[in-house]
Every structure is written in C-alpha cells, then in structure tokens.
Amino acid sequence: MEIPMGTQGCFSKSLLLSASILVLWMLQGSQAALHIQKIPEQPQKNQDLLLSVQGVPDTFQDFNWYLGEEMYGGTRLFTYIPGIQRPQRDGSAMGQRDIVGFPNGSMLLRRAQPTDSGTYQVAVTINSEWTMKAKTEVQVAEKNKELPSTHLPTNAGILAATIIGSLAAGALLISCIAYLLVTRNWKGQSHRMATTEKPELGPAHDAGDNNIYEVMPSPVLLVSPISDMKSINPAQPLSTLPPLQAGPENHQYQQDLLNPDPAPYCQLVPTS
C-alpha cells in the first residue's frame, strides 16, 4: 500500500516542526539552567571579584568566558579545558587582566578596575550539539566614592560651629564692655568718697617736751607796771595809791613797784 504524495509532504513538515520546537526548547532549557552569581554583588576598585557559575553538568568538554555583548574570538577572555596539564588558554580580550579559571566553570578577577565593567558571558560545551550559556552585568565602582549626601553632616557641623563661635565671641565682647563700665563707675565713686572725706584732727604732740605744768596762785597781789596802764579802760576808775613819802626807803619801794620781780610771785612747777 502506497502513501499518497500529499500525505508524505504533510508528515515531513510536521516532523520538521516538532524537531525545531524540541531544539529550541533544549536551547532555552540549557540557557535557563546556568546562573552566574557575583561575589560581591557591587565590587569596588582593587577588590577581587568571583563569578561563580551555578548549574554546570558533571561532565563537559570545555567552557569559554567572554567580555562583551557578542561571543567571538575578539571578546574571548580565556578557554578552560579540564583534564590537561595547563587547562587555561588566554584569549584576545584578556590583556593585562589577572583572571583565574576553575574546573567548575567559575572565574576569579583579581584587583578589579572600573575599566573591567561590562557584560560577562560564559559558554559551557557539553558536546558538539549542546552548549549552555549564561551572562551577567558587572559594574566596578571607584573605591570610597563619596556621595553628595555624605557632605550634609559635615556642612551641618561647620554651620553649627560657626554659630556657636559667633555667639561665644558676642558674649565675650559684652562681658568686656560690662566689666569696663563697672570698673569705671567704681573708680568714680571711690574718687568722690576720697574728696568728700575730711581729715581727722588729732591732738598735737610736742616731741621736745613731755612735761605737764601746773599754775600755782601767787601769794602777793601783783601790780601791773606803768607801761601796762595804757591798756586799762579809761572808764574804769583807777585805785588811788597811797602817797609816797620822800626818802630812801620810799624810793626803793617805788622802784620795786614799778619793776616787780616775777620770780617770788609765780612759779611753774613741773608734774610727772
């Protein structure tokens, strides 16, 4: 029994479509099976970066790492072939980079630089008809990069220090002015008090003579000399002296009255 020609054509097309769907499913499955983990997730400058591949089968022929959106010889970093003495073969994109490959498909980038940022892809060859692929984005940041927000505390601290310093300077200036005013007022009051005070009068002491004298009354009536008669008030009547008789005794008596000797009438006796 022969199959009609139209039926054979439809069967061939169905088989080809099924095979294409199976191949696409296998490719998508292999692509989804691999996963690259970045350690650390946000690498800094001069920091080692490990790209760990997850989902690699136990047996494979080799794997290749690429740096770029496309996978060809110019973007190949290295090829790793397990089972030989020197499994790693550096590619054109390796340059001066220090990269180490591992048998599980992972790679280590030592002392990463900002120029190493980009798209990293890995292709694991299982056999001639099956290759698994995965890719990831790497961004190497500058080390200790300062963000704009980090300046806010510094600016706030400087502003606070400026305000406190200004207040302290103002308080010091006011204190100095108040001190000068109080000192000036105190000096003026002291000067006025010194001018209004009167010196105390103390008893005068004679340094040359410390004796105290006592006046004793004379036993004989003193008669003022004729030279003192002018000081007597003319309105007061003078006492009448007895007439003096001429003779030597009366003359001597008259002379004694005119020139009395003060020694017999008054004595100054010092007391201790």
Side-chain angles (χ1 to χ4, degrees), residues 6-264:
T7 305
Q8 291 181 356
C10 292
F11 180 76
S12 300
K13 291 181 179 179
S14 299
L15 182 61
L16 181 61
L17 180 60
S18 299
S20 301
I21 294 174
L22 180 61
V23 171
L24 291 174
W25 178 81
M26 291 179 62
L27 291 176
Q28 291 178 357
S30 63
Q31 185 77 15
L34 288 181
H35 174 68
I36 300 176
Q37 182 181 3
K38 295 178 292 184
I39 304 174
E41 286 291 335
Q42 297 179 352
Q44 303 291 326
K45 182 180 179 180
N46 295 326
Q47 188 177 17
D48 293 347
L49 172 62
L50 176 62
L51 299 180
S52 178
V53 181
Q54 309 293 330
V56 179
D58 295 335
T59 58
F60 59 90
Q61 293 182 357
D62 58 31
F63 63 85
N64 295 270
W65 275 95
Y66 300 89
L67 177 57
E69 293 292 341
E70 298 181 0
M71 302 172 66
Y72 63 98
T75 61
R76 186 172 62 90
L77 291 171
F78 67 95
T79 300
Y80 191 94
I81 305 173
I84 62 177
Q85 185 176 2
R86 298 182 59 186
Q88 182 170 328
R89 297 288 186 269
D90 294 341
S92 302
M94 176 66 75
Q96 301 297 324
R97 295 180 177 88
D98 188 0
I99 298 177
V100 179
F102 297 97
N104 61 356
S106 302
M107 62 162 281
L108 175 65
L109 175 59
R110 296 175 178 173
R111 296 181 295 275
Q113 301 296 320
T115 55
D116 295 327
S117 302
T119 302
Y120 285 80
Q121 301 189 62
V122 60
V124 181
T125 304
I126 306 301
N127 50 50
S128 57
E129 298 180 355
W130 187 12
T131 301
M132 304 176 66
K133 300 178 182 179
K135 66 179 180 178
T136 185
E137 295 291 333
V138 174
Q139 182 65 39
V140 181
E142 291 287 344
K143 190 174 182 180
N144 298 329
K145 185 177 181 180
E146 296 182 356
L147 299 177
S149 59
T150 58
H151 296 283
L152 294 177
T154 305
N155 296 335
I158 294 175
L159 181 60
T162 304
I163 294 174
I164 293 174
S166 301
L167 293 177
L172 180 61
L173 180 60
I174 294 174
S175 300
C176 294
I177 294 175
Y179 175 76
L180 293 176
L181 293 177
V182 172
T183 305
R184 183 177 180 182
N185 189 16
W186 179 78
K187 289 182 177 180
Q189 291 180 357
S190 301
H191 179 71
R192 288 195 297 270
M193 291 176 63
T195 54
T196 54
E197 290 180 354
K198 294 182 179 180
E200 295 182 357
L201 298 177
H205 298 282
D206 188 0
D209 189 2
N210 294 328
N211 296 326
I212 300 175
Y213 297 93
E214 182 179 357
V215 180
M216 297 181 63
S218 176
V220 182
L221 180 62
L222 297 178
V223 179
S224 298
I226 299 175
S227 60
D228 294 337
M229 295 299 291
K230 297 179 180 180
S231 61
I232 300 175
N233 190 355
Q236 183 180 1
L238 298 175
S239 58
T240 305
L241 296 177
L244 298 178
Q245 296 180 2
E249 297 83 358
N250 294 335
H251 180 74
Q252 182 65 32
Y253 178 72
Q254 186 178 4
Q255 292 297 326
D256 293 337
L257 291 177
L258 295 176
N259 298 315
D261 186 7

